[in-house]
Amino acid sequence: MPHSQLLEPINNFLLCTTPEQWVEHAIKKENLSVILIDHLICELKAAQSAMFLIRKYAVDKEGSDALLEWLKPFEALIYKREGNWRDLAAKNKLTKSIIPKSSSQYGQGLIDKMVLLIKEELHHFYQVLEIMDEYGVEYQSITPCRYAKGMLRHVKTFEPDALVDKLIVGAYIEARSCERFAKLAPHVDKRLGDFYISLLRSEARHYQDYLTLAQEIADFDITERVNFFGEKEKELISTTDTDFKFHSGVPTVSN
């Protein structure tokens, strides 16, 4: 499928495109490290968020423990600086089948889509580590930007609306990631550009999976909530942001 065909629904879903000021800032050589490190963290956060949804809404303690065990070596590398990143490729697997608990209202659909997403995000996490190694970029702790928190603060507090809102937020995060990879690809070297293009298909499917799950779980038409979060996302992307990151808004001159 041509890239333009993959991106068409993404661009129709998002209410604004990435500002050119962000692209111009992101492709500066001195900003390569923060883009790669933040991308790395975003991949882990995406896996963690999907895992949280499965553990909170769909599985029993045994399944929850198996999921936590899956993520441990990836989290240990980032949060404790433990382990060798080259070993992670062999550790991206579940030790048991994950089935829904009897009391779950959401069933196998949520589990199947989120488990696939986790596997792909952890694979991307490893790929970013490979690129960081090639480019001589060392991992260092950085602060999270306002983006995800800026949308999650609007999530409702009662169920199933809270879950529906979290899924919609997930859709926007994946869609924006896809759009930004496509924006960056023509302006970076071939190795990095090819990598960004290779991510488009999975990121585009992830956003669709989140939206599909949101509508399946909701007992109402989610269009109004999708539009609501679209406006919040647009505001975060199109307004001035003092903290430059992969999902940040318009960079200030001081960046």
Side-chain angles (χ1 to χ4, degrees):
M1 182 184 295
H3 302 148
S4 58
Q5 198 172 334
L6 272 175
L7 290 166
E8 185 176 358
I10 294 281
N11 292 330
N12 290 335
F13 176 64
L14 297 169
L15 299 188
C16 70
T17 61
T18 288
E20 284 305 309
Q21 300 100 307
W22 184 90
V23 178
E24 291 167 5
H25 203 69
I27 62 177
K28 292 179 180 178
K29 288 184 178 179
E30 62 266 30
N31 290 325
L32 176 64
S33 60
V34 73
I35 285 291
L36 289 176
I37 292 169
D38 199 39
H39 180 185
L40 179 74
I41 295 169
C42 285
E43 298 291 359
L44 181 60
K45 292 290 186 185
Q48 289 174 319
S49 297
M51 189 169 290
F52 169 80
L53 294 177
I54 304 174
R55 293 180 60 236
K56 180 175 176 61
Y57 295 102
V59 298
D60 57 17
K61 186 179 185 305
E62 184 182 4
S64 178
D65 290 346
L67 288 164
L68 287 175
E69 199 64 29
W70 182 13
L71 219 58
K72 268 185 183 178
F74 298 86
E75 293 175 328
L77 186 77
I78 293 300
Y79 302 132
K80 300 179 181 179
R81 313 291 175 88
E82 293 177 356
N84 186 328
W85 68 267
R86 291 178 176 84
D87 297 333
L88 293 178
K91 296 182 178 181
N92 188 8
K93 55 188 176 183
L94 268 169
T95 58
K96 67 183 291 294
S97 297
I98 303 297
I99 57 175
K101 58 186 176 183
S102 57
S103 59
S104 173
Q105 304 175 49
Y106 310 118
Q108 201 67 47
L110 176 64
I111 293 172
D112 290 346
K113 284 185 170 63
M114 292 297 99
V115 164
L116 177 59
L117 185 147
I118 293 165
K119 284 181 179 177
E120 291 179 337
E121 301 292 15
L122 293 180
H123 176 59
H124 299 162
F125 177 87
Y126 181 82
Q127 289 179 301
V128 180
L129 285 169
E130 284 186 313
I131 288 176
M132 287 172 60
D133 183 64
E134 290 175 30
Y135 285 68
V137 174
E138 289 188 19
Y139 175 75
Q140 56 184 295
S141 298
I142 58 174
T143 56
C145 75
R146 66 182 185 177
Y147 180 74
K149 187 180 291 186
M151 286 192 289
L152 288 170
R153 70 162 58 108
H154 300 288
V155 168
K156 291 182 178 178
T157 56
F158 52 90
E159 301 294 357
D161 297 51
L163 174 55
V164 171
D165 281 357
K166 290 170 190 172
L167 292 167
I168 293 171
V169 169
Y172 275 107
I173 293 172
E174 296 290 338
R176 181 60 65 186
S177 298
C178 186
E179 188 252 6
R180 289 211 157 167
F181 290 138
K183 285 280 188 181
L184 287 173
H187 303 287
V188 295
D189 65 35
K190 187 177 186 305
R191 169 70 172 104
L192 198 52
D194 286 349
F195 174 54
Y196 288 152
I197 293 298
S198 75
L199 298 176
L200 297 185
R201 188 179 302 277
S202 58
E203 298 296 313
R205 191 184 68 257
H206 292 169
Y207 113 86
Q208 290 282 13
D209 284 347
Y210 271 119
L211 276 187
T212 299
L213 283 169
Q215 188 57 77
E216 287 175 352
I217 289 167
D219 54 4
F220 56 89
D221 185 342
I222 66 171
T223 302
E224 183 179 336
R225 292 304 286 171
V226 170
N227 292 338
F228 171 82
F229 281 106
E231 291 293 342
K232 299 301 178 187
E233 202 268 351
K234 176 183 177 181
E235 182 180 351
L236 290 163
I237 290 298
S238 60
T239 56
T240 301
D241 197 340
T242 57
D243 184 21
F244 175 72
K245 296 286 169 50
F246 186 77
H247 287 101
S248 58
V250 180
T252 57
V253 176
S254 60
N255 283 327

